[in-house]
Amino acid sequence: MEPDRPHPPDLGPPPGGDPLSGLKNVRFLSIERVPIRTRESITTRSAWKLLASCDQGDGTIYLIELSPTVSLYRGDGVFLGWSAERLEPAYRNLMPRSGGPDMELPQLG
């Protein structure tokens, strides 16, 4: 087993480029609502947890909606160290475009 390597600093996507550049064969796995804690708050919040996989490994992007106008994006796995400015378009790019028969979103409310 190879030891963990430090993640390179996030340089962001090229201007007007693909936010997922550098990752090969990226695919959406699932999305679910999960409880999450942040350093900025003592309150447990809900977040959307998007799981993705690529040739380099698996990763997670969390979308934490603090208010109707303020959202935080956090990355883990292959997305660890990515800036919020890069995670937001990557999250949007990974989301399935349609609610086809193989996509199941959890019932909320």
Side-chain angles (χ1 to χ4, degrees):
M1 190 164 147
E2 191 172 322
D4 289 340
R5 296 178 191 208
H7 291 276
D10 178 33
L11 302 176
D18 180 5
L20 299 169
S21 64
L23 301 178
K24 296 188 187 319
N25 299 316
V26 184
R27 59 201 172 280
F28 169 89
L29 295 178
S30 67
I31 189 165
E32 65 180 308
R33 197 78 163 153
V34 295
I36 193 168
R37 301 284 302 256
T38 62
R39 289 185 210 105
E40 298 85 4
S41 174
I42 60 171
T43 306
T44 300
R45 301 179 179 276
S46 291
W48 288 106
K49 178 183 177 182
L50 184 146
L51 295 170
S53 186
C54 65
D55 290 351
Q56 291 87 343
D58 295 336
T60 305
I61 300 176
Y62 294 93
L63 166 57
I64 307 148
E65 298 166 319
L66 300 178
S67 74
T69 59
V70 179
S71 297
L72 300 175
Y73 290 86
R74 304 283 166 93
D76 197 11
V78 295
F79 302 111
L80 185 65
W82 287 28
S83 68
E85 292 76 22
R86 186 172 181 192
L87 287 168
E88 181 178 2
Y91 181 94
R92 294 182 191 285
N93 192 307
L94 283 166
M95 285 294 291
R97 300 282 183 237
S98 68
D102 55 344
M103 180 174 165
E104 294 181 31
L105 289 178
Q107 180 69 33
L108 302 175

